[in-house]
Amino acid sequence: YCKLNQMNKAEQLFDEMIKTNIKPDIITFSSLIDGFCKSGEMKKVEEWIQKMNQFNIKPDIVTYSSLINMYCKSGKIQKAEELFQLMQQNKIKPDVITFNTLINGYFKSGNLEKVITTFNMMSKYNIKPNIFIFNTLIDGFCKLKQIEKAKEVIEMMKKYKIKPDEVTLKILKKHNLKY
């Protein structure tokens, strides 16, 4: 139901689970939280985080990534940063999705310094950039008229032996760049 954005039905199913003594787990809560994050219902997200705490279930990488994504998309980058810090304090290792979300959020807020430090932080966690990271970087730099930086990213892509995908090619074409 969450993937179909039928959040009322998802909540009803949760209630049925509780009535029939089926204990919800992190997957249940992460699915609900992600669904409400994607529909932009911050109040509901907060309610479900509280419910998760009542069941003594700790957020995982999926939960944190959903929340960070929601805050980045709504322009609340400081809240996303706080969650990123909390996630690390709770010994949850960020993944490539978390980093891509933050990098995208920093581009939207125009903070190139944070884009670069966040990208560089990936190596601290032994996370290699993938095509999604490179597409976000190239597109973000181009949108902010940082064409030389975008060209540096293209060269870095070659060093990592990552071939452009359809999205990369569209970005390059749109900005008159070549791989």
Side-chain angles (χ1 to χ4, degrees), residues 83-112:
L83 281 168
F84 185 69
Q85 296 301 321
L86 182 63
M87 183 176 130
Q88 292 171 88
Q89 289 168 12
N90 289 332
K91 307 282 187 253
I92 295 174
K93 181 183 163 192
D95 61 12
V96 72
I97 295 167
T98 313
F99 280 107
N100 194 52
T101 301
L102 280 170
I103 289 168
N104 201 24
Y106 289 129
F107 270 124
K108 285 180 178 162
S109 68
N111 193 334
L112 292 181

Side-chain angles (χ1 to χ4, degrees), residues 80-139:
E81 288 175 332
E82 289 169 14
L83 281 168
F84 185 69
Q85 296 301 321
L86 182 63
M87 183 176 130
Q88 292 171 88
Q89 289 168 12
N90 289 332
K91 307 282 187 253
I92 295 174
K93 181 183 163 192
D95 61 12
V96 72
I97 295 167
T98 313
F99 280 107
N100 194 52
T101 301
L102 280 170
I103 289 168
N104 201 24
Y106 289 129
F107 270 124
K108 285 180 178 162
S109 68
N111 193 334
L112 292 181
E113 187 179 317
K114 288 276 192 165
V115 166
I116 293 164
T117 56
T118 303
F119 175 76
N120 291 336
M121 191 189 302
M122 290 173 62
S123 62
K124 173 184 164 186
Y125 291 97
N126 287 329
I127 296 172
K128 288 187 171 57
N130 63 13
I131 191 65
F132 300 106
I133 293 282
F134 284 118
N135 287 343
T136 299
L137 289 168
I138 295 166
D139 194 45

Side-chain angles (χ1 to χ4, degrees), residues 61-77:
I61 184 65
V62 174
T63 316
Y64 279 112
S65 290
S66 295
L67 293 167
I68 290 169
N69 187 40
M70 177 185 72
Y71 287 119
C72 284
K73 283 185 174 178
S74 64
K76 297 181 179 183
I77 195 76

